């Protein structure tokens, strides 16, 4: 009977169920420039080169993404040794592996179901890893207590950030959650806000003052947003991505005071916490500053901070490891958070194991300590050198002005574009800096991300480039960039 | 106004039920026992409450928090995920209590709540772990204790990684050579039906892929809101994702009396009814079934595909248990292959996504969070949107991608490790088949328990008779009757299974889901304990004591 009805009653199958018109409109609004059109074109060009197509360059240099290993950085030996043992425990009998490697692997495996890294972990993350993370935070913050129950392992920091935003996203129309983000920002934030249908509330960093954060700008932005939404979250990236600034302690204190006064939930993206290069700069965690401000603040400001295995000296992006620490979260909401993360079962266990090693690295006296320190220091000092080098070379180019790269892995120089190139870009329906970056890619093989993908003050143009290529390659890249910029300026003047 | 048919009332109209509870909650002081009765059952409340009490909430003069139960995203509140729900939280508490020297009438908690093979003692497949270890620490390439075919695979995977490191991001759809291996695997599995590697997307476990596709599909408001057809009983990832996205859950009931078969008339009924209040645009199928363990016949798959074709539905086919078929008269048929065999009119038009994972099958590598999906007939513009959406999360974990590669590209007969690999694989699958049989047999010998054959997957979903007195008691406690049953089972025996209400079931029927994964000895003990418990429970509540 039903079949009969359907054969005669249903519309003929005219088109697809899922089309650009019928799909989730919020997904359409998502933009993620770091892997956007420029990068897709770069991949295409790589293929063309492989197929023997002649280009004015021999290889594509991907300076678009903070992917250290792809740029030739070697993994930390100790980390990979422990990971290999966790993966293939028969190696525990191999005398080529040092004792501290074996001890770490044994400890991690003992807290996995069936002693296997192939078992699901609890959704919040492996118990002993959460304890180690809490101990690490406590050490880092000069003894301020950290509770393992407040630690959630994540699938990279991105996962944690999206999860917290998901909790906070509510209301309709004027009561819709507003999320305050810095401009320029890391586009994960704008992408997640678009996908969730929340309201993006921009506050602008001060380029003239080395991309510092200005409280009066926060105030302005909040006030303006209150006209049309309910701003309830403030996101901070420190050290800054894409802008590379390191926030001063005073500035963090001001932000916390502001959040307390305005009842804002704080999200502190601290994935670059080990990447501080500039003299006089130091990483201060939001948690530490919050607790140093006294119980009036430390017992009330809601804070989630994020860390990851992908950055710092590890650069282990592929493992998708990370954690977040939530402070002052309502216990009922925390139960809801735990429930929400349980739907995805658990973060990848290898990423959790790796996170454990980052927070519980070899100690003085352990057999791997010396090698570990040597590798770590070499990477961090090379990064510091490259940060300096990038700033210096870029600032010698007329029409490019680059703030010091105090931390993180990127420079975000401002570029002056000739009027004619701006018009040509607009005629093509492209952002002027997209036009610039596309041309750079086609002519030099250098892949950067246009500033418009991160947000910038109107009428200003930038690009983001990583400082990750090896020093030689970075020099070549910067010189090519210099030549290109001069040529471009000439061509369009 | 739309009135749901009576048999759907057990799951209820999610929205109205939850709204009612939420409203109630905001009015109640949070310390009353009923205060957290929103979407979780009351059983959960007591755990939360005790956690809260021990956390010692600060005095009431604290600043109002920004994020509270009142300001929390209501869709998040509506999410339920029983597989890791209250029962499992309670089991964790009992485990800790035992560890700390507490006494219970049992010495260990047996977690039969989740399909986690390694946690139940299954050994990893040696070859898979060798390849992943080599990828992780390439210095091992020089070690004579690793076979050449493992090294060859590891080298090939590393060549596909940026900087030849598993630590670099991959392309967001996954490592290219792995996508190609998957396409080749599907083509071979489906006896030559073509598979295009550009239709393959690696995922963070199958769950991630399922959520992503649903996210693309959910749109519209009110009566044009996307309806998602899911089987009842279902794997609660589906209902949780639907809640989170505020889509409309459209239930179609599997036929328990017919070994949980899918009845096409029931699909029509569910679809017609749903059209009154939403726009059903997707049908989800789990084959082999979770939690129900049935294996769909080819004819049934044809009917479903024809139905989807006629009614303009997007098909999502969850095939993560494709290697877990035990019943001698059953065979796994992929939706893709059946679609192809139905002819070009179907094969060129029905939009289909199928999902696979490293977590099930004979590998059981849940922790790696590996998986893939194949999308067929997806609009090219939408595909571009899919790639963009995936790129925001950068990439699936590389170790999981590598594990997935080994599964689709296992040792071949002429290769050195083939014999060992094959032995390990058959031994895992052979034991599972035996345990499937054993579980069905022992459970069916218990008066008041009735269990369909476990044709595939990893679970038994027996129906249990619960005496009216126990049902009343549960209701008085604000609990589902099978939740009461499972909590008692846990408290008295240490066995952790998931109540049927977490998966959905016909009104006034009760079930639980248990995995068949414990070792044979342990499974025997477990089933014996379930039997004794059930008999005791019946006696107690039937007034026969």
């Amino acid at each position: 009977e039903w079949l009969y009805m359907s054969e005669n009653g249903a519309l003929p199958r005219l088109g697809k169920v899922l089309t650009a018109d019928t799909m989730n409109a919020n997904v359409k609004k998502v933009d993620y420039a770091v892997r956007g059109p420029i990068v897709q074109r770069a991949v295409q060009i790589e293929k063309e080169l492989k197929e023997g197509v002649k280009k004015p360059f021999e290889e594509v240099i991907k300076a678009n993404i903070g992917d250290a290993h792809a740029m030739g950085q070697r993994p930390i030996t100790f980390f990979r040794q422990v990971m290999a043992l966790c993966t293939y425990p028969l190696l525990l009998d191999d005398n080529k592996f040092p004792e501290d490697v074996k001890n770490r692997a044994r400890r991690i495996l003992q807290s996995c179901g069936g002693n296997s890294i192939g078992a699901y972990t609890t959704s919040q993350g492996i118990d002993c890893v959460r304890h180690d993370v809490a101990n690490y935070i406590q050490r880092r913050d000069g003894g301020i207590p950290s509770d393992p129950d407040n630690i959630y392992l994540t699938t990279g920091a991105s996962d944690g950030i999206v999860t917290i935003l998901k909790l906070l996203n509510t209301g309709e129309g004027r009561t819709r959650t507003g999320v305050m983000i810095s401009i320029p920002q890391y586009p994960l934030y704008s992408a997640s806000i678009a996908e969730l249908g929340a309201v993006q509330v921009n506050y602008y960093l001060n380029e003239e003052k080395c991309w510092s954060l200005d409280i009066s700008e926060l105030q302005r932005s909040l006030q303006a947003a209150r006209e049309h939404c309910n701003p309830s979250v403030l996101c901070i990236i420190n050290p800054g991505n894409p802008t590379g600034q390191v926030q001063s302690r005073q500035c963090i204190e001001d932000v916390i005071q502001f959040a307390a006064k305005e009842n804002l939930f704080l999200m502190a993206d601290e994935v670059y916490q080990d990447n501080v290069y500039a003299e006089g700069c130091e990483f201060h965690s939001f948690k530490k500053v919050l607790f140093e401000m006294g119980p009036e603040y430390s017992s009330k400001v809601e804070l989630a901070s994020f860390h990851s295995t992908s950055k710092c000296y590890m650069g282990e992006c592929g493992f998708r490891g990370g954690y977040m620490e939530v402070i002052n979260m309502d216990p009922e909401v925390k139960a809801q958070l735990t429930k929400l993360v349980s739907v995805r079962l658990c973060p990848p266990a290898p990423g959790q194991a790796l996170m454990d090693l980052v927070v519980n690295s070899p100690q003085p006296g352990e057999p791997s300590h010396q090698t570990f320190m040597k590798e770590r220091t070499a990477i961090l000092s090379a990064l510091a050198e490259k940060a300096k080098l990038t700033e210096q070379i870029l600032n010698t180019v007329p029409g490019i002005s680059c703030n010091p790269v105090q931390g993180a892995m990127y420079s975000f120089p401002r570029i002056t574009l000739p009027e004619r190139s701006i018009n040509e870009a607009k005629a093509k329906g492209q952002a002027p800096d997209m036009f610039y970056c596309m041309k750079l890619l086609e002519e030099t093989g250098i892949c950067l991300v246009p500033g418009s993908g991160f947000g910038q003050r109107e009428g200003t143009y930038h690009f983001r480039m990583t400082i990750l290529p090896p020093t030689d390659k970075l020099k070549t890249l910067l010189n090519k960039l210099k030549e290109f910029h001069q040529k471009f300026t000439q061509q369009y003047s | 106004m739309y009135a749901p048919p009576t048999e759907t009332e057990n799951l209820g109209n999610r929205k109205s039920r939850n709204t009612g509870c939420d409203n109630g909650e905001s009015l109640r002081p949070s310390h009353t026992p009923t205060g957290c009765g929103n979407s979780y059952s009351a059983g959960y409340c007591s755990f939360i409450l005790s956690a809260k009490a021990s956390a010692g909430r600060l005095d009431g003069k604290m600043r109002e928090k920004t994020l509270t139960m009142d300001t929390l995203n209501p869709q998040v509140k509506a999410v339920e995920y029983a597989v890791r729900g209250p029962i499992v939280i309670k089991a964790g508490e009992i485990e800790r209590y035992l560890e700390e020297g507490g006494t219970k009438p049992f010495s260990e908690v047996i977690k039969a709540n989740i399909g986690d093979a390694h946690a139940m003692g299954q050994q990893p497949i040696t070859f898979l772990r060798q390849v992943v270890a080599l990828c992780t620490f390439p210095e091992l390439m020089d070690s004579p204790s690793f076979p050449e075919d493992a090294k060859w695979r590891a080298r090939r995977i590393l060549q596909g990684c940026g900087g030849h490191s598993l630590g670099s991001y991959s392309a967001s759809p996954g490592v290219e050579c792995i996508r190609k291996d998957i396409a080749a695997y599907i083509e071979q599995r489906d006896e030559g039906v073509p598979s295009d590697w550009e239709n393959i997307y690696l995922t963070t476990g199958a769950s991630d892929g399922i959520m992503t596709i649903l996210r693309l599909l959910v749109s519209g408001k009110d009566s044009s809101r996307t309806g998602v057809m899911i089987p009842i009983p279902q794997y609660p990832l589906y209902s949780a994702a639907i809640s989170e996205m505020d889509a409309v859950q459209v239930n179609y009931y599997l036929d328990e009396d017919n070994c949980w078969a899918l009845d096409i008339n029931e699909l029509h009924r569910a679809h017609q009814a749903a059209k009154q209040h939403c726009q059903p645009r997707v049908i989800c199928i789990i084959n082999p079934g979770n939690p129900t363990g049935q294996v769909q016949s080819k004819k049934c798959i044809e009917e479903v595909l024809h139905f989807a074709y006629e009614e303009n539905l997007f098909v999502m086919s969850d095939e993560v248990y494709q290697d877990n078929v035990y019943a001698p008269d059953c065979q796994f048929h992929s939706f893709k292959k059946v679609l192809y065999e139905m002819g070009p009119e179907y094969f060129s038009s029905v939009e289909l996504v199928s999902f696979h994972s490293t977590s099930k099958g004979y590998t059981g590598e849940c922790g790696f969070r590996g998986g893939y999906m194949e999308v067929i007939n997806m609009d090219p513009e939408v595909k571009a949107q899919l790639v963009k959406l995936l790129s925001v999360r950068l990439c699936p974990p590389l170790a999981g991608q590598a594990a997935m590669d080994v599964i689709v590209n296992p040792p071949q007969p002429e290769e050195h490790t083939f014999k060992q690999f094959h032995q390990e694989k058959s031994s895992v699958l052979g034991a599972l088949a035996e345990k499937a049989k054993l579980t069905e047999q022992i459970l069916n010998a218990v008066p008041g328990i009735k269990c369909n054959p476990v044709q595939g997957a990893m679970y038994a979903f027996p129906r249990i008779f619960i005496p009216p007195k126990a049902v009343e008691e549960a209701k008085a406690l604000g609990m589902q009757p099978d939740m009461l049953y499972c909590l008692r089972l846990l408290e008295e025996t240490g066995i952790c299974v998931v109540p049927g209400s977490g998966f959905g079931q016909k009104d006034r029927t009760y079930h639980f889901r248990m995995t068949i994964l414990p070792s044979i000895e342990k499974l025997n003990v477990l089933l014996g304990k379930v039997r004794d418990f059930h008999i005791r429970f019946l006696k107690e509540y039937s007034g026969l004591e």
Side-chain angles (χ1 to χ4, degrees):
Chain A
E1 181 204 15
W2 283 112
L3 259 172
Y4 174 78
M5 263 194 63
S6 140
E7 308 251 77
N8 294 282
L11 289 167
R13 202 176 170 93
L14 288 173
K16 297 198 181 283
V17 177
L18 183 59
T19 66
D21 290 335
T22 64
M23 70 180 286
N24 183 340
N26 286 343
V27 170
K28 269 192 279 188
K29 287 185 205 136
V30 167
D31 255 321
Y32 189 67
V34 174
R35 293 206 154 183
I38 287 269
V39 185
Q40 284 167 21
R41 178 65 191 138
V43 171
Q44 236 171 21
I45 291 178
E46 269 183 331
K47 277 200 180 130
E48 289 170 15
L49 282 172
K50 249 188 214 163
E51 288 158 6
V53 179
K54 284 254 172 332
K55 298 267 175 194
F57 49 86
E58 272 149 38
E59 60 162 344
V60 171
I61 307 180
K62 287 191 190 157
N64 61 298
I65 191 167
D67 190 355
H69 290 198
M71 285 290 113
Q73 185 182 306
R74 310 294 309 157
I76 299 287
T77 307
F78 177 79
F79 292 171
R80 293 302 189 91
Q81 286 176 324
V82 179
M83 295 305 298
L85 264 58
C86 286
T87 308
Y88 194 59
L90 279 178
L91 292 171
L92 285 165
D93 300 328
D94 188 330
N95 52 25
K96 286 206 195 74
F97 289 91
E99 271 316 302
D100 50 352
V101 165
K102 293 184 181 175
N103 288 338
R104 294 287 196 300
R106 267 190 219 105
R107 184 156 172 279
I108 292 167
L109 288 177
Q110 269 160 19
S111 48
C112 291
N115 297 340
S116 167
I117 198 115
Y120 289 122
T121 74
T122 57
S123 303
Q124 202 171 342
I126 300 171
D127 250 23
C128 86
V129 178
R130 288 193 292 119
H131 278 88
D132 289 348
V133 169
N135 286 333
Y136 159 81
I137 294 174
Q138 204 162 319
R139 272 197 318 273
R140 182 197 67 188
D141 291 344
I144 290 163
S146 171
D147 181 351
D149 284 342
N150 289 340
I151 308 294
Y152 290 76
L153 275 292
T154 57
T155 307
S158 310
D159 170 49
I161 292 167
V162 175
T163 303
I164 295 295
L165 285 176
K166 203 169 279 168
L167 295 180
L168 284 156
N169 186 41
T170 184
E172 287 296 338
R174 281 193 61 166
T175 66
R176 191 72 177 166
T177 298
V179 181
M180 298 183 71
I181 61 171
S182 59
I183 296 294
Q185 52 113 22
Y186 174 54
L188 166 72
Y189 291 92
S190 51
S192 313
I193 291 167
E195 195 190 318
L196 293 169
V199 181
Q200 178 174 325
V201 177
N202 298 333
Y203 65 88
Y204 288 81
L205 300 177
N206 189 344
E207 183 164 16
E208 277 65 46
K209 276 189 174 166
C210 198
W211 296 116
S212 64
L213 194 164
D214 188 357
I215 295 296
S216 60
E217 167 61 11
L218 283 184
Q219 196 71 57
R220 178 208 61 79
S221 148
L222 180 74
Q223 229 56 55
R226 282 200 173 133
E227 302 294 313
H228 62 102
C229 70
N230 174 27
S232 57
V233 205
L234 172 56
C235 302
I236 307 276
I237 313 174
N238 177 46
N241 175 6
T243 37
Q245 82 286 13
V246 177
Q247 255 184 302
S248 70
R249 198 189 168 287
Q250 182 60 49
C251 177
I252 294 174
E253 210 176 301
D254 294 344
V255 169
I256 292 174
Q257 220 159 43
F258 175 78
K261 185 174 78 161
E262 304 291 353
N263 257 347
L264 298 170
F265 189 105
L266 267 176
M267 291 174 64
D269 179 340
E270 304 181 323
V271 300
Y272 297 98
Q273 55 188 268
D274 289 333
N275 299 105
V276 175
Y277 317 119
E279 291 213 7
C281 287
E282 203 189 323
F283 170 74
H284 302 275
S285 79
F286 266 72
K287 163 108 183 279
K288 180 164 188 252
V289 177
L290 176 67
F291 276 72
E292 286 169 355
M293 286 167 75
E296 193 195 335
Y297 292 93
S298 67
S299 66
K300 78 176 196 184
V301 175
E302 294 153 83
L303 167 69
S305 66
F306 304 90
H307 197 13
S308 153
T309 59
S310 306
K311 310 299 168 187
C312 300
Y313 61 94
M314 307 76 83
E316 295 280 15
C317 311
F319 281 87
R320 314 307 298 121
Y323 73 76
M324 57 185 177
E325 183 184 27
V326 298
I327 314 282
N328 289 324
M329 185 176 267
D330 180 290
E332 284 181 76
V333 174
K334 229 165 108 180
Q336 293 286 327
L337 168 61
T338 305
K339 179 191 72 178
L340 185 64
V341 296
S342 79
V343 179
R344 293 292 197 94
L345 299 165
C346 67
Q352 295 187 48
L354 194 59
M355 193 75 243
D356 185 65
L357 303 173
V358 172
V359 297
N360 186 18
S361 54
Q363 295 305 301
E366 286 189 307
S368 307
H369 181 253
Q370 215 184 349
T371 313
F372 169 76
M373 284 311 290
K374 219 173 89 190
E375 292 176 350
R376 182 184 193 271
T377 313
I379 291 169
L380 288 176
S381 50
L383 283 172
E385 190 193 335
K386 292 189 274 190
K388 197 91 202 135
L389 185 76
T390 306
E391 178 203 340
Q392 280 170 349
I393 299 189
L394 286 177
N395 276 330
T396 64
V397 187
I400 296 188
S401 122
C402 180
N403 268 320
V405 182
Q406 299 173 331
M409 295 179 166
Y410 317 97
S411 69
F412 194 70
R414 181 159 170 183
I415 46 176
T416 311
L417 299 180
E419 202 55 40
R420 255 183 59 211
S421 71
I422 295 174
N423 293 338
E424 191 170 323
K426 282 183 180 158
K428 286 180 118 180
Q430 258 177 359
D433 47 14
M434 169 67 91
F435 177 77
Y436 177 92
C437 288
M438 221 29 138
K439 249 181 124 69
L440 175 73
L441 173 65
E442 295 289 351
E443 290 177 22
T444 67
I446 299 170
C447 177
L448 307 176
V449 190
S452 45
F454 304 88
Q456 53 201 354
R457 282 212 185 262
E458 214 175 300
T460 70
Y461 306 106
H462 302 78
F463 59 75
R464 185 185 86 163
M465 65 167 280
T466 69
I467 57 164
L468 292 172
T471 309
D472 294 352
K473 222 179 199 171
L474 185 64
K475 276 187 187 154
T476 314
L477 185 157
L478 289 165
N479 286 323
K480 277 184 165 186
L481 191 56
K482 188 173 179 170
E483 277 170 40
F484 169 82
H485 189 80
Q486 285 163 346
K487 226 174 69 192
F488 184 89
T489 310
Q490 253 172 14
Q491 188 187 343
Y492 286 99
S493 295
Chain B
M1 233 191 99
Y2 167 70
T6 48
E7 71 251 310
T8 64
E9 276 166 8
N10 192 11
L11 259 107
N13 181 325
R14 183 178 58 74
K15 266 197 159 164
S16 66
R17 188 189 62 181
N18 286 337
T19 310
C21 289
D22 294 347
N23 289 343
E25 166 159 44
S26 57
L27 298 173
R28 288 182 203 116
S30 64
H31 58 267
T32 60
T34 44
C36 52
N38 57 75
S39 56
Y40 255 359
S41 71
Y44 188 55
C45 290
S46 56
F47 310 136
I48 296 299
L49 283 170
S50 55
K52 249 171 45 181
S54 64
R57 217 176 184 186
L58 297 171
D59 65 69
K61 285 188 178 164
M62 264 173 60
R63 171 190 86 143
E64 184 77 10
K65 289 196 186 287
T66 305
L67 182 57
T68 66
M69 287 304 277
D70 290 335
T71 62
L72 177 70
N73 181 341
Q75 270 94 265
V76 169
K77 257 192 269 187
V79 166
E80 290 185 53
Y81 188 68
V83 173
R84 292 205 153 181
I87 285 272
V88 184
I89 294 172
K90 184 76 189 161
E93 281 173 11
I94 294 178
E95 260 183 338
R96 269 192 299 279
Y97 175 78
L98 287 173
E99 263 166 35
E100 286 157 9
T103 51
K104 288 273 173 193
F106 48 87
S107 55
E108 62 162 341
V109 172
I110 308 180
K111 286 193 183 155
N113 61 296
I114 191 163
D116 189 356
H118 290 199
M120 286 289 113
Q122 184 183 306
Q123 289 306 301
I125 298 289
T126 307
F127 184 74
L128 186 149
R129 291 302 189 90
Q130 285 174 331
V131 174
V132 179
L134 285 158
C135 289
T136 306
F137 192 56
E139 279 85 338
L140 291 169
M141 297 282 184
D142 301 330
S143 162
S145 45
F146 284 80
E148 275 313 308
D149 41 2
K151 289 180 185 173
W152 178 82
R153 279 186 182 61
R155 263 187 225 111
R156 189 159 162 276
I157 292 169
L158 287 178
Q159 269 157 22
C161 293
H164 297 177
S165 168
L166 218 49
S168 55
Y169 291 120
S170 74
S172 303
V175 176
E176 192 172 308
C177 75
I178 299 179
R179 295 168 77 197
K180 287 178 173 159
D181 286 348
I182 292 169
Y185 159 81
I186 294 174
E187 226 169 274
Q188 194 190 24
R189 181 198 69 190
D190 291 344
E191 297 169 326
V193 177
S195 172
D196 180 351
W197 69 271
E198 296 197 75
N199 288 339
I200 309 291
Y201 298 85
L202 275 293
T203 57
T204 307
S207 311
D208 170 49
I210 292 167
M211 295 264 219
T212 303
I213 295 298
L214 283 175
R215 193 157 287 146
L216 293 178
L217 280 157
V218 174
S219 68
K221 287 233 174 280
D222 304 324
S223 66
S224 68
R225 190 73 180 160
T226 298
V228 183
M229 300 185 70
I230 60 171
I232 296 294
Q234 52 114 21
Y235 174 56
L237 166 71
Y238 290 92
S239 51
I242 290 167
S243 294
E244 196 189 309
M245 296 173 202
D246 204 19
V248 181
Q249 179 174 324
V250 177
N251 298 331
Y252 65 88
Y253 287 78
L254 300 177
D255 185 357
E256 182 164 17
D257 299 329
N258 207 353
C259 199
W260 297 114
L262 193 162
D263 179 0
I264 210 74
N265 293 326
E266 167 61 10
L267 284 188
H268 282 284
R269 183 209 57 77
H271 185 253
Q272 285 298 333
K275 278 203 293 197
Q276 313 294 319
H277 63 106
C278 70
Q279 193 180 346
R281 300 170 70 209
V282 204
I283 178 165
C284 303
I285 308 277
I286 313 174
N287 177 48
N290 176 6
T292 38
Q294 82 286 12
V295 176
Q296 255 183 303
S297 71
K298 186 165 177 238
K299 181 167 169 291
C300 178
I301 295 174
E302 266 173 29
E303 284 175 348
V304 170
L305 286 168
H306 178 72
F307 171 76
Y309 173 86
E310 288 278 320
E311 302 291 358
N312 259 319
L313 295 171
F314 190 104
V315 181
M316 291 174 63
S317 125
D318 179 339
E319 304 181 326
V320 300
Y321 297 99
Q322 56 189 271
D323 287 327
N324 299 102
V325 175
Y326 316 119
D329 51 336
C330 288
Q331 201 192 327
F332 170 74
H333 302 275
S334 79
F335 267 66
K336 164 115 183 270
K337 180 163 185 258
V338 176
L339 186 66
Y340 180 81
E341 287 166 355
M342 287 168 76
E345 203 187 326
Y346 291 88
F347 192 63
S348 64
S349 70
V350 175
E351 293 151 85
L352 167 69
V353 181
S354 64
F355 304 90
H356 197 13
S357 154
T358 60
S359 306
K360 311 300 168 188
Y362 55 93
T363 51
E365 295 283 10
C366 311
F368 282 89
R369 313 308 296 121
Y372 74 76
M373 57 187 176
E374 184 184 25
V375 303
I376 315 279
N377 289 324
M378 184 176 269
D379 180 291
E381 278 182 79
V382 175
K383 234 164 109 176
Q385 294 284 332
L386 169 62
V387 174
K388 180 190 72 179
L389 187 62
L390 294 174
S391 76
V392 180
R393 292 298 193 92
L394 298 165
C395 68
L398 268 290
Q401 294 191 48
M404 195 74 241
D405 189 60
V406 178
I407 292 173
V408 297
N409 186 17
Q412 297 305 303
E414 67 279 8
E415 285 183 296
H416 177 74
T417 29
F418 177 76
K419 212 175 124 193
Q420 188 191 357
F421 170 81
H422 195 73
Q423 227 166 38
E424 291 178 359
K425 176 179 171 179
S426 334
S427 126
V428 170
L429 290 176
L432 282 171
E434 194 184 333
K435 292 188 274 192
K437 197 89 205 138
L438 183 77
T439 306
E440 178 202 341
Q441 281 169 348
I442 299 189
L443 287 175
N444 276 330
V446 185
I449 296 188
K450 191 171 163 298
C451 183
N452 269 320
V454 181
Q455 298 173 332
M458 296 179 167
Y459 316 97
F461 194 70
R463 180 158 170 183
I464 47 177
F465 172 72
I466 298 187
K469 246 179 79 186
V471 173
E472 276 162 35
E473 185 175 318
K475 280 187 179 152
L477 288 165
M479 219 185 260
Q480 291 290 342
D482 47 14
M483 174 65 90
L484 173 79
Y485 180 94
C486 291
L487 272 175
R488 290 275 309 260
L489 177 69
L490 175 64
E491 291 281 3
E492 291 175 29
T493 67
I495 296 169
C496 177
V497 298
V498 189
S501 45
F503 304 87
Q505 54 200 354
K506 280 208 175 180
D507 205 10
R508 285 179 293 278
T509 71
Y510 306 108
H511 302 79
F512 62 77
R513 184 186 86 163
M514 64 168 279
T515 69
I516 57 166
L517 293 172
S519 64
I520 302 229
E521 304 79 62
K522 225 177 197 170
L523 188 62
N524 261 312
V525 175
L526 185 157
L527 290 165
K529 281 182 168 187
V530 169
R531 180 187 55 218
D532 296 347
F533 167 82
H534 188 80
I535 293 169
R536 256 195 340 263
F537 186 88
L538 285 192
K539 260 191 193 160
E540 183 185 330
Y541 285 100
S542 308
L544 297 176
E545 268 177 318

